[in-house]
Amino acid sequence: MNATAKDARIALMPGDGIGTEVMEQAVRVLELLREQDALPLSWDTLDWPSTAWHREHGQMMPDDALQQACEYDALLLGALGDPGPLEDKERYRLPDGISLAPLLTFRKGLDLWACERPARLLPGAPRYLADPRAEQVDMLVIRENSEGEYVNQGGRLQQGTPHEVATQLEIFTRRGTERLIRHAFVRARERLQDHGAERSFFCTEKGSAAAQVCLITKRNAQPAWGELYTEVFAEVAREFPEIGVSHQLVDAACMKFVQCPWEFDVVVASNLHGDILTDLAAVLSGGLGLAPSCNINPDNRDRPALFEPTHGSAPDIAGQGKANPAAMLLTTAMMLEWLGFGLSAERLRGAVAQDLVTSTPPARGCKEVADGIIAHLV
């Protein structure tokens, strides 16, 4: 994911709820890394998208939001959703279909067709599986981000009557499928280069391989797109003979994510299936408080990529300073790597990992966690 380092402009979008709190800590880290590593970085903090912007303007962001976003090299988003706090019954709250709509707008409007969510259990992170092999969890889930089940094509007929009918159309294209699956194999090859032959994964055809791509479908119940994915997967796999292959139905994959997550390397899935599996993978790697993600177009860097932690706005703790900023800081590391600042990204990831090992949980707030991480960077 490394690019050639250059002057980079970032749009910081704190958003809603705990998004403003974790973004504040991300800014502290960015300021430190910019000074220490002489990074050619600059950023603007935007008031949108946010529920507060909607309250003032009647929409989550300006009409020309996409055009403004294209002035930047990367977008860093805190969280969107219920702004909290929950005890405020009169708070200005929007339906998810409105508050979360900017995510789809950015992903589709900027053609960010791949969502990457790494799931690696760092030492010191909460481990929810008793099996000691759970310490080996280190997978990358790649989710299709532009079509599939989330195209929002459909409607409701005779709404509110006993005869109401709701339709929801799914759209899968060969072009979208091929580019997604090819990217998954490219990333598996990169991970193989990083890890060497030290790992071993089950392969349907080869018995075992040092890297693996696992395809997720539900082709037994949804054969039209399931068979399209399967056929394209087989075609692309022939171009990567060193990469092992596997195919799981999504329900079986959910079971195996819990039973034996260490057997997965790169997982590639549709929009809906990837959405569900990545939340499960986040728990396997310590919880949503440690789960970063990015929305990218691997083939085109002319438009900005969108980086956001996997967690939501957490209205139950919003405004209390309790949010864990680690997911945001790991997401910031992904952004730095994308922008070409790989050494700084690795330093930040290492500082988060060190803090997990050396901290004394659980009584630390958002700022205190960031203080600990910054201490490992200084």
Side-chain angles (χ1 to χ4, degrees), residues 187-258:
R187 295 292 281 129
R189 176 177 282 171
E190 292 173 352
R191 285 164 63 88
L192 176 60
Q193 293 170 350
D194 290 340
H195 293 285
E198 63 191 53
R199 302 189 301 168
S200 179
F201 299 95
F202 170 76
C203 173
T204 306
E205 300 173 356
K206 304 174 185 177
S208 65
Q212 177 212 71
V213 177
C214 178
L215 174 67
I216 306 295
T217 70
K218 187 61 177 170
R219 64 182 178 186
N220 58 335
Q222 297 177 308
W225 77 263
E227 290 173 2
L228 171 65
Y229 263 52
T230 301
E231 292 167 8
V232 173
F233 185 75
E235 293 170 7
V236 175
R238 286 194 286 269
E239 302 175 26
F240 297 83
E242 76 277 27
I243 308 299
V245 295
S246 179
H247 185 179
Q248 298 286 341
L249 299 180
V250 65
D251 43 354
C254 286
M255 291 188 294
K256 292 182 179 180
F257 265 37
V258 176

Side-chain angles (χ1 to χ4, degrees), residues 24 33 39 44 66 117 126 129 142 151 179 205 235-236 239 255 257-258 260 265 289 345 350:
E24 183 178 352
L33 289 173
L39 301 181
D44 297 318
L66 282 177
R117 295 186 176 179
L129 298 181
I142 301 177
V151 292
R179 68 184 182 182
E205 300 173 356
E235 293 170 7
V236 175
E239 302 175 26
M255 291 188 294
F257 265 37
V258 176
C260 49
D265 185 13

Side-chain angles (χ1 to χ4, degrees), residues 306-321:
L306 173 65
F307 298 83
E308 54 173 328
T310 302
H311 63 67
S313 60
D316 56 324
I317 60 171
Q320 300 177 36

Side-chain angles (χ1 to χ4, degrees), residues 115-348:
C115 176
E116 290 194 0
R117 295 186 176 179
R120 178 187 175 196
L121 187 65
L122 297 172
R127 196 184 85 195
Y128 298 101
L129 298 181
D131 194 310
R133 288 174 293 180
E135 296 178 356
Q136 303 170 22
V137 171
D138 183 2
M139 72 173 80
L140 174 65
V141 183
I142 301 177
R143 162 190 171 191
E144 205 291 317
N145 219 23
S146 63
E147 53 181 47
E149 304 92 342
Y150 287 1
V151 292
N152 199 27
Q153 298 294 306
R156 296 169 67 181
L157 302 176
Q158 302 185 56
Q159 188 171 345
T161 74
H163 304 289
E164 181 173 355
V165 176
T167 61
Q168 198 77 50
L169 182 66
E170 302 176 356
I171 297 177
F172 298 85
T173 66
R174 175 170 282 271
R175 174 176 177 269
T177 302
E178 193 273 340
R179 68 184 182 182
L180 176 78
I181 291 174
R182 183 175 303 280
H183 178 60
F185 276 94
V186 169
R187 295 292 281 129
R189 176 177 282 171
E190 292 173 352
R191 285 164 63 88
L192 176 60
Q193 293 170 350
D194 290 340
H195 293 285
E198 63 191 53
R199 302 189 301 168
S200 179
F201 299 95
F202 170 76
C203 173
T204 306
E205 300 173 356
K206 304 174 185 177
S208 65
Q212 177 212 71
V213 177
C214 178
L215 174 67
I216 306 295
T217 70
K218 187 61 177 170
R219 64 182 178 186
N220 58 335
Q222 297 177 308
W225 77 263
E227 290 173 2
L228 171 65
Y229 263 52
T230 301
E231 292 167 8
V232 173
F233 185 75
E235 293 170 7
V236 175
R238 286 194 286 269
E239 302 175 26
F240 297 83
E242 76 277 27
I243 308 299
V245 295
S246 179
H247 185 179
Q248 298 286 341
L249 299 180
V250 65
D251 43 354
C254 286
M255 291 188 294
K256 292 182 179 180
F257 265 37
V258 176
Q259 291 177 327
C260 49
W262 49 85
E263 293 184 0
F264 292 91
D265 185 13
V266 175
V267 178
V268 62
S270 72
N271 215 328
L272 173 63
H273 292 171
D275 193 3
I276 295 169
L277 287 171
T278 48
D279 278 4
L280 178 54
V283 174
L284 300 175
S285 58
L288 290 177
L290 291 166
S293 80
C294 66
N295 304 274
I296 60 176
N297 184 330
D299 298 332
N300 184 359
R301 292 177 177 267
D302 292 337
R303 290 188 172 186
L306 173 65
F307 298 83
E308 54 173 328
T310 302
H311 63 67
S313 60
D316 56 324
I317 60 171
Q320 300 177 36
K322 295 180 178 179
N324 187 345
M328 170 55 89
L329 298 181
L330 290 170
T331 299
T332 301
M334 293 182 76
M335 180 185 69
L336 290 171
E337 185 173 5
W338 175 263
L339 292 172
F341 309 121
L343 292 178
S344 298
E346 192 56 38
R347 287 187 62 217
L348 179 51

